[in-house]
Amino acid sequence: MTPALPWWSGTVIYQLIVRSYSDGNGDGIGDFKGLAARLPYLRWLGVNTLWLTPIYPSPLRDGGYDITDFTGIHPDLGDLASFHRFLTAAHSQGMRVILDLVLNHTSDLHPWFQRARWAPKGSSERDVYVWSDDPKRYAEAPVLFRHFEASNWEWDPVAEQYYLHRFLRHQPDLNYENPWVQDTMLEVVDFWLDRGVDGFRLDAVPFLFESEGSRCEGLPETHTFLKRLRERVDRHGRDVLLLGEAIQPVQEAAPYLADDELHGAFNFVLTAHLFAAIASGRIQQLGECLMEAEQAVCGPRWALPLRNHDELWLGDGHLISDEVIQTIRVGLPQGQGHWLNWGINRRLAPLLNGDPRSNRLLHGLLYSLPGMPCLYYGDELGMGDWPGLRDRDPNRTPMAWTPARNGGFSTAPDPLLVLPPITAPGYDYRVVNVEVQKQLPGSLLNWHRRMLTCRRLLPALRHGSFRLLHSPHPGVLVYLRCTEAMTVLVAANVTAAGASLSLDLSEWAGERTREVMWGCEFPPAAAEWFVNLPPYGFNWWLIGEVEPAATPA
Ligand code: BGC
């Protein structure tokens, strides 16, 4: 008998920022009360896992990734009781909830850091963070937020030492050499699992340990700690998802997915190649990346994001080649002037110049490739952004619910809003919002819902095997997703021109082929099976007689 699949196998992850999603108490800031009221929408849309960016007390100098208390709720969002009400409601509507957990650092306002800087040098309190008398230590570790920081070290006049911060200077790195740090962070994990959460998105996992002469990423000690974390999670005796954020090449991200380590990891290389494919109209490197990821670990364990709350991270040539970075820079004109740190600071729709065809194509790939597709809130509407806001705030503006004031996000007066709702031309919330798009059968929102429904009815797309087929067209990606009972064929045209091609389906000669979305019949499979795809067009076909609805969910 095949073992039961974990709940997260093939799950669709919806990432949201609670403070930007829905305001339940009218103070201009989204909260758990507001989010709980939106659960029926999320259920209607068809996503099954909610990933909440940090919800903890924080001075919010890095969107909440600067934490002052790992076991509390930021008072803007509610309290533990309102979190609990939300979690119970999400579970009762069939959704799982994973929390962002920042293991690597805290805010400099965290009591641990304040205690550390005043404690004597070499004391156990000081030792909770990473200190040095020499800011040239770990010189090979790149500065990640290069537009904000010139060094990974900051002088602390109270401690009279430098402290390490791989991110912003107000985010000192915890010292994982210190057993107290490890034990305490494991207690944090216990705390949230005891409260019923279903997993964690582990922020910035590669950076937990440092070693001279290396980039200080993914060191063996980091993996040892993550195995300890996994073991601790397993003790809770239920299926929990540990999803790592390691913005690293596939071969370096794969070790996090050892059987006794994390369950899932984001495939950011694939994200970059998806954009590069659109930018260049060619699929060769995308295909190679897919094969590499598939060979490294079995496909369903990769989480597949298009965009998120950060810039579209392309890196310094370590993640993907300079050539691919250049392809994206040149081929996506909307990215040109919006470079932040090592990536492009725009939301999906503006990045694609507002073209719904490429938007659908990229999501069509995401929903049919092996892994856990990640949908960033608002991208289901093609929501825009506000370039010019500070840091990554352009991508974090309030969700557009209705054409009413503030897009239905909040009843508060404008100056109190967490961030300004989008009124940019082409993306104005009076047009681009849930209420309007629900009523338009051809809207992007209704398209997403339909695609997610199809995906639910096709187990092959959720956890079937993956096989790349030979494509006679340089701009058309062709692949199969198969379970024993079902074969789904996918063809996707990444070019801005139409494509016609002939596929060799002799393996299934004479079998019925049906297009999935609208159910239309195609000619039976044959050695020369002709397909026409419009610009940025794609299709999913069922091969054989199996009925989607009749297959086990
Ligand atoms: C998060 C960022 C955050 C950084 C530091 C990340 O990778 O996604 O938003 O600024 O970690 O915590």
Side-chain angles (χ1 to χ4, degrees):
M1 223 175 86
T2 40
L5 291 165
W7 63 260
W8 44 263
S9 174
T11 192
V12 179
I13 299 176
Y14 186 89
Q15 180 196 354
L16 64 93
I17 302 175
V18 179
R19 62 181 49 248
S20 294
Y21 204 62
S22 188
D23 174 12
N25 65 0
D27 66 355
I29 303 171
D31 47 37
F32 282 113
K33 185 172 175 220
L35 174 56
R38 302 298 184 181
L39 286 168
Y41 163 74
L42 293 163
R43 187 182 157 86
W44 172 87
L45 177 59
V47 296
N48 18 52
T49 299
L50 308 181
W51 153 23
L52 313 184
T53 59
I55 57 172
Y56 319 99
S58 158
L60 301 175
R61 294 172 70 195
D62 180 17
Y65 287 87
D66 45 335
I67 295 167
T68 50
D69 173 5
F70 286 96
T71 55
I73 298 286
H74 196 292
D76 289 349
L77 312 184
D79 53 17
L80 280 170
S82 57
F83 172 73
H84 180 73
R85 280 193 294 277
F86 150 73
L87 186 65
T88 311
H91 285 164
S92 71
Q93 300 196 39
M95 276 171 275
R96 307 278 183 158
V97 176
I98 65 172
L99 298 186
D100 227 310
L101 184 64
V102 184
L103 294 170
N104 183 65
H105 47 264
T106 68
S107 159
D108 60 355
L109 298 182
H110 196 294
W112 300 342
F113 186 73
Q114 290 305 318
R115 213 160 41 223
R117 59 199 295 247
W118 290 98
K121 214 167 160 178
S123 64
S124 53
E125 285 91 350
R126 172 75 66 96
D127 210 29
V128 170
Y129 293 85
V130 184
W131 300 92
S132 173
D133 295 323
D134 175 9
K136 296 208 175 56
R137 259 177 105 190
Y138 311 136
E140 282 170 47
V143 173
L144 300 165
F145 283 5
R146 62 170 174 160
H147 286 171
F148 300 95
E149 302 295 349
S151 157
N152 285 325
W153 294 98
E154 181 71 10
W155 175 253
D156 184 79
V158 173
E160 295 190 321
Q161 274 194 303
Y162 294 93
Y163 61 86
L164 181 73
H165 59 89
R166 290 307 302 277
F167 294 90
L168 298 165
R169 73 185 67 175
H170 55 78
Q171 290 166 306
D173 274 39
L174 285 163
N175 175 17
Y176 274 79
E177 302 279 0
N178 181 338
W180 182 88
V181 169
Q182 294 201 13
D183 293 346
T184 307
M185 294 312 284
L186 293 178
E187 281 163 21
V188 170
V189 166
D190 286 340
F191 176 89
W192 290 107
L193 289 180
D194 287 344
R195 267 146 200 84
V197 307
D198 301 291
F200 301 96
R201 178 256 191 194
L202 301 175
D203 182 65
V205 277
F207 309 111
L208 305 188
F209 282 82
E210 296 75 38
S211 156
E212 208 53 74
S214 78
R215 288 174 64 91
C216 299
E217 290 174 18
L219 295 174
E221 297 85 341
T222 295
H223 289 288
T224 307
F225 172 72
L226 293 175
K227 288 184 203 307
R228 232 190 121 195
L229 170 62
R230 168 66 179 271
E231 197 244 332
R232 184 70 159 246
V233 163
D234 286 348
R235 274 197 227 159
H236 286 256
R238 62 191 177 92
D239 246 357
V240 164
L241 171 62
L242 292 178
L243 179 58
E245 186 218 19
I247 311 186
Q248 294 187 302
V250 166
Q251 296 307 332
E252 289 174 38
Y256 296 94
L257 298 177
D259 286 342
D260 55 352
E261 213 168 311
L262 308 185
H263 307 96
F266 293 94
N267 189 345
F268 290 107
V269 181
L270 180 68
T271 305
H273 279 292
L274 286 168
F275 284 102
I278 292 276
S280 64
R282 305 188 76 81
I283 50 97
Q284 190 189 337
Q285 289 187 321
L286 173 60
E288 285 166 9
C289 163
L290 284 165
M291 290 317 294
E292 190 189 5
E294 188 65 18
Q295 277 154 17
V297 277
C298 77
R301 298 184 58 192
W302 293 110
L304 315 176
L306 278 176
R307 292 292 296 108
N308 58 23
H309 62 297
D310 291 326
E311 66 275 37
L312 170 64
W313 191 271
L314 302 175
D316 59 357
H318 183 70
L319 183 72
I320 47 169
S321 70
D322 288 336
E323 178 206 337
V324 177
I325 296 176
Q326 194 54 13
T327 304
I328 295 172
R329 280 187 93 131
V330 175
L332 296 181
Q334 295 309 311
Q336 289 282 347
H338 300 274
W339 204 256
L340 181 75
N341 299 320
W342 297 100
I344 304 172
N345 199 23
R346 299 226 61 172
R347 251 192 188 265
L348 181 66
L351 197 56
L352 300 176
N353 225 350
D355 189 339
R357 299 170 307 171
S358 42
N359 202 321
R360 288 187 169 112
L361 169 72
L362 286 176
H363 281 109
L365 287 166
L366 220 61
Y367 293 158
S368 56
L369 285 170
M372 298 170 256
C374 302
L375 181 57
Y376 184 50
Y377 83 96
D379 281 354
E380 72 270 35
L381 305 171
M383 220 170 91
D385 55 13
W386 266 139
L389 293 180
R390 69 172 278 280
D391 193 355
R392 287 148 291 167
D393 283 352
N395 316 316
R396 300 174 178 182
T397 59
M399 176 71 175
W401 294 102
T402 70
R405 204 172 118 252
N406 300 334
F409 160 73
S410 172
T411 52
D414 297 11
L416 298 186
L417 296 186
V418 61
L419 284 170
I422 303 293
T423 50
Y427 300 100
D428 194 308
Y429 66 73
R430 282 163 288 200
V431 182
V432 179
N433 65 65
V434 171
E435 188 181 294
V436 166
Q437 290 206 17
K438 260 190 171 181
Q439 287 171 38
L440 298 173
S443 69
L444 194 57
L445 177 61
N446 278 316
W447 176 88
H448 275 279
R449 182 173 184 245
R450 189 170 181 87
M451 293 294 282
L452 291 173
T453 306
C454 291
R455 183 182 155 90
R456 260 199 312 284
L457 298 175
L458 299 172
L461 293 189
R462 297 200 306 278
H463 27 74
S465 64
F466 171 76
R467 189 169 127 204
L468 212 51
L469 289 192
H470 168 73
S471 165
H473 191 296
V476 178
L477 188 74
V478 187
Y479 53 91
L480 292 172
R481 302 294 315 276
C482 308
T483 55
E484 243 170 63
M486 173 181 282
T487 301
V488 179
L489 170 71
V490 179
N493 171 18
V494 303
T495 75
S500 23
L501 58 155
S502 144
L503 297 178
D504 177 2
L505 299 188
S506 47
E507 208 175 318
W508 301 271
E511 296 224 31
R512 185 177 176 197
T513 61
R514 266 165 304 162
E515 186 270 342
V516 172
M517 255 90 65
W518 313 105
C520 34
E521 297 285 337
F522 269 62
E528 287 206 335
W529 193 73
F530 289 97
V531 191
N532 297 307
L533 294 167
Y536 300 121
F538 74 96
N539 248 327
W540 298 348
W541 294 269
L542 262 175
I543 302 186
E545 284 300 334
V546 66
E547 286 305 325
T551 58

